[in-house]
Amino acid sequence: MEITSNSCNKSKILIFGGTGYFGKHVVRASASFGHPTFVFVRPATPQMPPSSLQLRGEFRSLGVTLVQGELEEHEKMVSVLKQVDIVISVLPVSAIPDQIKIIDAIIAAGNIERFLPSEFGCEEDRITPLPPFEAFLEKKKKIRRLLEASTIPYTFVSANCYAAYFISLLLHPHDPRPDLVVYGTGEAKAVLNWEQDIAKYTIKVANDPRTRNRVVIYRPPGNIISQNELISSWEKKTGRRFEKVCVQEDELIKLSQIVIYAGLPSPDNIAVSILHSVFARGDLMSFDLDEDDLEASCLYPEIEYTTIDQLLDIFLVDPPEPARAALE
Ligand code: NAP
């Protein structure tokens, strides 16, 4: 299979998981920056929802090349990889260990200039959350250690929280209700970045010599906010008052233990411990950045990121449907 492209000398980017919740933003950002963009997709099935077929159609209309295949098809992956420069994986939680197959194919291809594995969350080497979330992070850390020990140039992206995902969960703008749940005291600071901005930063990071073999943290100042500040801002914008229903930190700890004993499968078993880590304990902001750290809004001041305040204005007019109910 020969990939043809009419594009210039921009790097060619191959994306795994590009049809997913976050992946589609990465595909759009890559195409919008003018990169010849390729998405490794599983073959379409009759059970596939119309929205997935529409998304594939949208990608084609953007000039994106869809390459059909499975992660098990090593030779096919190698032949595709030989025709691109950069690989970005946005595979879901369940497929994190499968990235070993991508790494094997990258080693066999031998030409990849940068690989970004599927991380896009907290800075996993700097926090220690409760066991269910910790076990999940261990899977991502294994991939980190594997890449560090390899000759593959990599970048690890700590994108912090997907803002639309968590604003939907915390404020229910699409489904207004009189009360809102607050995890912990509501005072701990979190970082909520809009998915579209995370995607743009990610394409920049993937092409940047400064980020080779480094961790990049996405912590724009306008996106650092506590739950209490978020609710108060939302109250001002909507002109409504919400009753706060507090779930204290010790209750979250107990609940996270219950889900372990109940034997809930991944990723359902990590929801409580994520809420505990991010919102009750404030893990995302629990460490300071020093001059050795790479922060996205400092690296790319030319990207006008969307602040939480601007994002709430968008939610006020046209709240997106929540991504899924995994953390409900
Ligand atoms: P998702 O929506 O579940 O994405 C699924 C994508 O992966 C789809 O393109 C799907 O392809 C593909 N896929 C699934 N299993 C596959 C397999 N076995 N082989 C090949 N392709 C497969 O994922 P997501 O929720 O966007 O997660 C992506 C990353 O974001 C993960 O690292 C996750 O931990 C992270 N995340 C971060 C936050 C945050 O707030 N920071 C929140 C959620 C997730 P098909 O179209 O073929 O099904």
Side-chain angles (χ1 to χ4, degrees):
M1 170 203 18
E2 188 67 22
I3 292 173
T4 52
S5 160
N6 54 8
S7 224
C8 48
N9 48 12
K10 290 222 166 193
S11 59
K12 299 185 185 71
I13 300 184
L14 175 66
I15 297 159
F16 289 86
T19 53
Y21 171 73
F22 176 58
K24 62 181 177 293
H25 295 294
V26 178
V27 175
R28 289 172 185 148
S30 174
S32 76
F33 280 129
H35 291 280
T37 302
F38 308 91
V39 187
F40 197 84
V41 290
R42 293 187 287 188
T45 61
Q47 296 76 34
M48 192 167 265
S51 56
S52 295
L53 293 172
Q54 271 167 16
L55 189 61
R56 289 174 186 225
E58 178 199 321
F59 288 168
R60 286 193 190 93
S61 73
L62 293 173
V64 170
T65 305
L66 302 183
V67 182
Q68 292 210 6
E70 301 277 359
L71 297 178
E72 289 67 31
E73 294 180 271
H74 178 78
E75 294 307 327
K76 183 184 258 185
M77 278 212 283
V78 173
S79 88
V80 179
L81 286 164
K82 280 187 174 160
Q83 300 173 65
V84 301
D85 309 302
I86 288 172
V87 179
I88 301 176
S89 166
V90 265
L91 287 170
V93 175
S94 57
I96 297 296
D98 290 334
Q99 293 180 114
I100 290 174
K101 295 168 192 159
I102 302 176
I103 292 172
D104 285 345
I106 290 176
I107 291 168
N111 61 300
I112 294 303
E113 292 164 17
R114 195 75 63 90
F115 176 46
L116 275 58
S118 190
E119 295 213 342
F120 305 102
C122 60
E123 216 307 59
E124 57 223 37
D125 281 327
R126 296 210 215 175
I127 70 163
T128 311
L130 293 174
F133 186 26
E134 189 186 26
F136 157 71
L137 290 185
E138 281 304 323
K139 292 183 189 164
K140 291 192 171 182
K141 282 197 214 175
K142 252 188 198 163
I143 299 291
R144 272 196 180 189
R145 303 292 89 88
L146 209 63
L147 284 167
E148 285 165 346
S150 78
T151 53
I152 301 170
Y154 61 82
T155 306
F156 303 139
V157 165
S158 168
N160 290 314
C161 286
Y162 293 166
Y165 185 102
F166 278 98
I167 288 174
S168 296
L169 176 86
L170 296 173
L171 301 179
H172 299 272
H174 56 283
D175 165 29
R177 47 182 74 179
D179 53 322
L180 296 174
V181 177
V182 172
Y183 301 96
T185 62
E187 289 301 321
K189 299 273 189 185
V191 190
L192 308 183
N193 295 316
W194 198 20
E195 286 80 335
Q196 298 185 18
D197 295 339
I198 296 177
K200 286 183 204 160
Y201 281 142
T202 299
I203 300 302
K204 288 279 195 180
V205 162
N207 284 280
D208 189 340
R210 295 172 296 176
T211 64
R212 188 187 150 110
N213 296 351
R214 299 288 306 273
V215 177
V216 182
I217 296 169
Y218 298 4
R219 199 190 269 187
N223 291 355
I224 301 168
I225 196 162
S226 71
Q227 282 172 96
N228 288 341
E229 289 165 341
L230 186 71
I231 292 173
S232 145
S233 222
W234 189 235
E235 286 182 331
K236 281 192 198 119
K237 287 183 190 291
T238 56
R240 298 182 53 187
R241 298 280 299 165
F242 298 98
E243 191 193 329
K244 291 183 189 171
V245 180
C246 293
V247 184
Q248 296 304 340
E249 189 175 349
D250 53 353
E251 279 180 71
L252 287 167
I253 293 171
K254 270 187 224 145
L255 276 171
S256 81
Q257 287 161 349
I258 290 169
V259 295
I260 298 177
Y261 294 132
L264 277 183
S266 176
D268 299 329
N269 61 354
I270 56 172
V272 177
S273 47
I274 290 179
L275 294 170
H276 171 264
S277 165
V278 172
F279 295 109
R281 219 163 57 173
D283 278 349
L284 300 182
M285 289 298 293
S286 64
F287 56 95
D288 292 330
L289 303 186
D290 61 34
E291 67 266 23
D292 289 337
D293 286 305
L294 298 178
E295 194 283 318
S297 64
C298 293
L299 287 175
Y300 313 110
E302 70 277 15
I303 292 196
E304 283 185 31
Y305 70 88
T306 314
T307 62
I308 296 295
D309 190 62
Q310 292 165 330
L311 202 48
L312 290 184
D313 286 337
I314 295 171
F315 270 76
L316 197 60
V317 178
D318 187 17
E321 277 296 305
R324 70 185 87 162
L327 294 182
E328 294 278 2

